[in-house]
Amino acid sequence: MRTFFEPEQREEFEAAQELMVRRFAVWAERQGLPVDPWVAEAAWDYRHADTPDGRLTLWSPAHVREFLLEWMPRRLTVQPSEELPDGPGTLAALLCYFDETGLRDPRGGTLAANQAALETASGQFRAAMADRELWGTAKFWATTAAEHGVDITDPHAMRRFSERAQRGQVPYDEALADRIMQRRFADGPFVGRALPQLPVALPPMEELRDQAGRSVVVEQLRVFTAWVGPGGRKLTTTGRLQMADARELVGLLGTGDTVDPVHAGVRRRTRSSADLPEVHRLFEWARKARLVRTVKGRLVQVAKAAPLLADPLTLWQRAFGAVAELGEVLLGSRDGWAPAPSMLHDVYEETLPDVLNTLYSLPEPMPWPRLRDSLHLVYQSAYDLDSIDPRRQSVWLGHADTDLRKVLAVLEQLGVLERAQGMASEVFLADLNSQAPGGGPENFTGPDMFGSGVAVHTVPAAGGPDPFPPLPAGIPPELARLLAMPVHGPDVLMPEDAASQEQARALRAELSAGPVELIALTDLGTWAVRERLLGEGRDAPMVGELTQATAPELLGVLAEHYPVEAARQEVEAWTNAHGGWLKAFDRLLDAVRQTPFRIRAQDMLAVVCGILPEAEQHGLLHSLRRDPALGPAALTALIHQDLLNEEDLTEVEQQLVMTEAILSSMEISGRQAATDFLESLGLQEAQAALCAALDSGHPDHTGLDELRTLADQLQGRPLPRPTAQPGKQRAAPTDRHGKNSPRSSRKRRRG
């Protein structure tokens, strides 16, 4: 069973959700735990559709609180006569189920931490559910209808109610409705799923702290703050440094600013600290980083910032966070040839994170021309450049490019990135060769052996058939957009017109002509961007962070989220932390044996094989053919890799492979799809296939029990289906602000 789906993979997600809820309910019954299956289903709806990362089994205390105290109160409609569902109790059982079955994503909170959050939230849950101020728009109107005696499970009755309400014939709390609507707009639009980044490798924190201590900017900010001193410094009436102080700081901080510059033999007196750009920027930087502040015309130290001065990494991170607020200082000035701030000035705060995200986790340094042109696309969408005279457009773009270089220089000075001259990697040329013969969708391959959905894209060079190195489809989304190719899926985005094709040819020529400026994040920059991504709830894996995971948790995460090489590095770190390779290898195989889901077992076994040399992979799979637990997955892998064919299998092995295929199909597509397929075979053939599967000795006893249910159905005994409890309604699946989702027709709760 997979625990991560793209937003558009609705059917696959629903099949996995159905499987999870069904297995969870059986597990809970065996444990003697009363649970509400709908709450379990709703928990996956919340993590899939309403959180940026969409990792279904990764739960932190923040997720626990949001689901129970915000999402459920906003979404779940409980009619006046109904009993409130046990949200905290069911979620607590669900998290225990994930932990026991190895489904838990170890990058989330520990079970103990989540249980502590559950205990706190459970005391607030009933009050939150009763607080009408927390309701969403859909829930408000559904509850209002129920209070007027409308059967909210009847779409015709609800339509008639809506028509009456629109005609003003339904009394309701208009003030509350207005507040709910205002809150909906105040929250802003939900940005939706943020696609995951590639895993990164980082040095130990002590090494990062040493690097931060060597940052020129960190030292300058520390010296500047100490210079301000406990007594502070008097500012001018315009809130700037006095010139005497500014002159002193030029030498003290080593900014290199020129005081009283000479132009054409004439000395011009510097009259304002703002005319010393480096000193002025550090002054504003210290203020934005909340190291100093202005009080009654004086610049004073911020008392709470004192500990930062002794911790270079924390001070560096504070300075990094303040860069986003320096747009006016960096880009607000007007050069003689530019009548106004550049286009970058107007979109700086929104664009800076995107630039850093573009550089994050790249396998190769970013060439300046590609980064520059990616920003040109931003300006194209923000401004109507097509209506501008080409010469003026060129001036505007040139001004914006100059400002982008200013920003890069400041980031380099801080130690966020590094720039060097060199040849652009052919990775950044691949999409520009789409005009070449063979540069089409056929060059994409399917999912890799880890089952993670990572495809590769190879495009032959324009001068011959030799392909460039493969470009992963799982490459960071910002880079994928930059290269004008989809993050997922095989279609190559070709230039739409002659002008676009000419731009692509010109860009390729620029990148191929000789050395260009190459830009890459430093370790500090990668660490800082990763911290921000994690703070936004995004997926940003780091090699080595899974060393404390259990073997099932490790393999599950690697199978779904890690490309091959990063998975190898992660397994190496994990085995070193668990007694070495020989001891850890047996634990990894045991983890595959114990997983209760066929697709997950196959993917986990693929990870174990993938960390071995190719010859050893084949040897391992052949050695596992007769393993009671691993045999079906091993046989399936051998067949998929064309290492075995049907004639090589014994009759028993053929039955195991067939059973593995049926059980896997049922997990992927759901029980009803499996039923439809079996019925399409005809009764006799379907019954024969089911009998053979049930007698195969397959180790998945739970899956075989479900097959017996299908066999009963084919023999005329209907498959039991969930029934709606009178008056119960599952929360209308809406978006984050109450709009109906495509699944809103599934109104009834699972019983």
Side-chain angles (χ1 to χ4, degrees), residues 198-208 211 360-361 521-531 534 540-545 569-570:
L198 293 176
V200 298
L202 288 173
M205 292 300 294
E206 283 307 312
E207 186 174 335
L208 290 173
Q211 293 178 17
Y360 182 82
S361 78
L521 291 182
T522 63
D523 288 338
L524 275 173
T526 298
W527 171 76
V529 174
R530 180 174 183 269
E531 290 294 303
L534 293 176
M542 181 179 70
V543 174
E545 68 177 333
Q569 296 175 23
E570 192 67 54

Side-chain angles (χ1 to χ4, degrees), residues 9-29:
Q9 294 176 313
R10 193 181 77 176
E11 292 184 1
E12 295 91 334
F13 165 74
E14 291 185 356
Q17 183 183 49
E18 177 191 2
L19 174 67
M20 182 277 295
V21 171
R22 185 171 69 248
R23 297 282 181 92
F24 167 61
V26 172
W27 174 87
E29 184 177 1

